[in-house]
């Protein structure tokens, strides 16, 4: 039997999880669910947002559903530690970052689907491990970093102590595995076009390196057309002509921005699911965040979590069930009678989920 780790997290996470999980049985998915602890409450009680027992759970299950995680700035995180752990140099590291790094999840996959009119359906593939988010971010410069930027007039006027630098890391290993993942998504999804979104007219050296890797790997996929486009132009086209895209692939920061833009194009974060995939591990999550001010109000949209379940089903080869879930979501959105406030309705979290479950049944 397939075993899934379920991590409800905090904020609205537990309520969207409770509402969405009955979809699994309704769609005919024979999954054994095991629940684990993660998030802010673990930090507040144990000083660790991902306890070791949760890692053990993830390691012995076939997939992971993560609902929502709250993160807070440095001072607030320190203040909410247990009294005996304050001042012990414990550092809050987002569970999302921990999962991606420890499990080697280099590809973030975000479907962008028009559930109202079927006018577009494309995917954004974002690199998860390098780019501007690789962690090479410095304030107060010296040595070679200062030598590198000191000739810039603004740096010269500000001085080393008042200058910052962030480095965009791109490696052949990171690029190649991301591009092959994106091409494979194009093949499996029946897409004919792969769009590489970058900034080749400004980031000339790193973008040229990226271009070279794309040209070489594209030879392995003769059935897929490719293009390289400025990320700002891609953003415009996603709004004006989303139907033109098949798979959009981008480095970490550009992919981060474009994937949330895609959520807006499809109707909002309440519809946005995601997968984080590596060569071995994986986890799946709605991307709406924990929205702590909404927790307990029954207003959160459960559809993102439901579509996340569909993504996990696809990943595990349960494509018929995944299609049934998406068809049920499509029917409920089009009827408009049981949707939450963000889609123009008045339904509660539970009512919206129940309508989808009834459509499945």
């Amino acid at each position: 039997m397939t075993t899934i780790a379920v991590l409800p997290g905090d904020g609205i996470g537990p309520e969207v999880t409770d509402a969405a999980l009955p979809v699994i049985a309704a769609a005919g998915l024979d999954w054994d669910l095991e629940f684990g602890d993660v998030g802010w409450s673990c930090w507040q009680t144990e000083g660790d947002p991902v306890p070791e027992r949760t890692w053990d759970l993830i390691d012995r299950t076939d997939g992971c559903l993560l609902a929502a995680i709250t993160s807070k700035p440095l001072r607030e995180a320190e203040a909410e530690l247990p009294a005996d752990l304050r001042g012990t140099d414990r550092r809050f590291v987002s569970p999302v970052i921990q999962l991606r790094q420890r499990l080697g999840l280099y590809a973030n996959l975000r479907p962008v689907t028009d559930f109202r009119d079927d006018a577009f359906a494309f995917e954004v593939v974002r690199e998860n491990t390098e780019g501007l988010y690789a962690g090479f971010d410095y304030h107060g410069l010296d040595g070679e970093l200062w030598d590198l930027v000191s000739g810039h007039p603004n740096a010269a006027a500000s001085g080393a102590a008042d200058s910052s630098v962030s480095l965009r890391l791109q490696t052949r290993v990171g690029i190649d595995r991301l591009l092959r993942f994106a091409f494979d998504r194009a093949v499996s999804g029946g897409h004919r076009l792969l769009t590489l979104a970058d900034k080749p007219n400004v980031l000339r050296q790193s973008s040229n390196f990226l271009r070279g890797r794309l040209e070489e790997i594209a030879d392995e996929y003769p059935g897929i057309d490719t293009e390289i486009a400025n990320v700002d132009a891609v953003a415009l086209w996603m709004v004006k002509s989303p139907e033109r895209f098949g798979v959009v692939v981008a480095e970490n920061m550009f992919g981060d921005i474009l994937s949330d833009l895609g959520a807006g194009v499809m109707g909002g974060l309440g519809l946005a699911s995601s997968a984080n995939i590596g060569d071995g591990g994986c986890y799946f999550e709605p991307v709406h965040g924990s929205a702590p001010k909404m927790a307990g109000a029954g207003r959160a949209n459960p559809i993102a979590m439901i579509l996340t379940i569909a993504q996990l089903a696809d990943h595990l080869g349960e494509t018929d069930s995944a299609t049934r879930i998406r068809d049920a979501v499509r029917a409920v959105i089009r009827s408009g009678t049981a949707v939450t406030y963000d889609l123009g309705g008045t339904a509660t979290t539970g009512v919206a989920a129940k309508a989808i479950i009834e459509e499945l049944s």
Side-chain angles (χ1 to χ4, degrees):
M1 176 180 287
T2 300
T3 304
I4 303 299
V6 180
L7 309 179
D10 40 51
I12 62 172
E15 58 198 274
V16 296
T17 301
D18 288 345
L21 288 182
V23 163
I24 293 171
L29 293 164
D30 187 18
W31 293 352
D32 182 31
L33 306 181
E34 294 192 29
F35 291 82
D37 302 316
V38 72
W40 198 253
S41 61
C42 295
W43 173 256
Q44 290 175 308
T45 57
E46 305 175 47
D48 188 350
V50 190
E52 198 58 39
R53 63 183 178 278
T54 301
W55 289 116
D56 292 340
L57 172 63
I58 292 170
D59 288 344
R60 60 181 171 79
T61 51
D62 301 299
C64 177
L65 281 172
L66 171 66
I69 297 295
T70 297
S71 294
K72 296 184 182 181
L74 178 65
R75 293 179 187 175
E76 287 83 348
E78 174 73 14
E80 295 192 34
L81 270 173
D84 61 317
L85 294 177
R86 293 175 196 165
T88 59
D89 293 328
R90 290 195 177 239
R91 185 168 65 95
F92 181 89
V93 178
S94 167
V96 167
I97 293 174
Q98 291 194 52
L99 283 164
R100 290 173 180 174
Q101 291 181 343
R102 182 159 168 170
L103 300 178
L105 309 182
Y106 57 83
N108 177 254
L109 177 64
R110 294 276 291 271
V112 183
T113 304
D114 178 15
F115 286 103
R116 293 190 185 277
D117 301 311
D118 290 331
F120 56 83
F122 64 95
E123 296 178 323
V124 177
V125 177
R126 165 193 172 191
E127 206 285 325
N128 255 350
T129 65
E130 47 186 45
L132 271 175
Y133 294 176
F136 299 109
D137 186 54
Y138 306 95
H139 175 71
L141 307 179
D142 56 20
E144 292 183 358
L145 271 180
W146 176 244
D147 292 341
L148 184 67
V149 304
S150 59
H152 191 285
N154 293 355
S158 300
D162 290 319
S163 298
S164 299
V165 168
S166 295
L167 301 178
R168 178 168 101 144
L169 175 69
Q170 292 192 157
T171 67
R172 182 184 58 78
V173 169
I175 291 170
D176 286 8
R177 66 186 183 184
L178 179 76
L179 290 175
R180 287 196 172 93
F181 180 91
F183 273 111
D184 288 341
R185 291 302 307 177
V187 171
S188 63
H191 302 296
R192 292 299 305 274
L193 177 65
L194 183 143
T195 302
L196 174 61
D198 207 63
K199 198 65 176 174
N201 60 332
V202 177
L203 302 171
R204 295 180 181 274
Q205 297 300 321
S206 59
S207 288
N208 189 56
F209 177 45
L210 187 56
R211 176 183 183 177
R213 300 313 304 154
L214 174 69
E215 290 171 343
E216 180 168 331
I217 292 172
D219 289 341
E220 303 172 17
Y221 298 86
I224 307 298
D225 297 327
T226 63
E227 63 178 357
I228 303 173
N230 285 332
V231 63
D232 46 334
V234 173
L236 175 64
W237 297 338
M238 281 176 63
V239 174
K240 294 191 68 175
S241 305
E243 70 281 356
R244 77 179 297 280
F245 293 111
V247 171
V248 178
V249 58
E251 61 93 58
N252 210 330
M253 186 182 74
F254 292 157
D256 186 12
I257 295 167
L258 291 177
S259 58
D260 269 10
L261 176 60
V265 168
M266 68 188 288
L269 290 174
L271 301 179
S273 64
S274 76
N276 293 274
I277 298 171
D279 293 330
C282 63
Y283 82 89
F284 295 73
E285 65 172 335
V287 296
H288 48 54
S290 63
K293 292 182 179 179
M294 287 181 60
R299 300 182 68 223
N301 191 342
I303 291 179
M305 187 61 169
I306 290 169
L307 291 174
T308 298
I309 292 169
Q311 258 193 286
L312 176 55
D314 264 335
H315 181 73
L316 295 173
E318 305 271 9
T319 54
D320 290 343
S321 293
T323 299
R324 289 186 58 218
I325 292 170
R326 294 189 183 98
D327 287 345
V329 167
R330 184 176 286 106
V332 169
I333 289 175
R334 289 179 177 179
S335 74
T337 58
V339 294
T340 48
Y341 78 97
D342 54 316
L343 298 181
T346 59
T348 64
T349 305
V351 167
K354 185 177 179 182
I356 294 168
I357 293 162
E358 289 175 350
E359 187 70 31
L360 274 166
S361 301

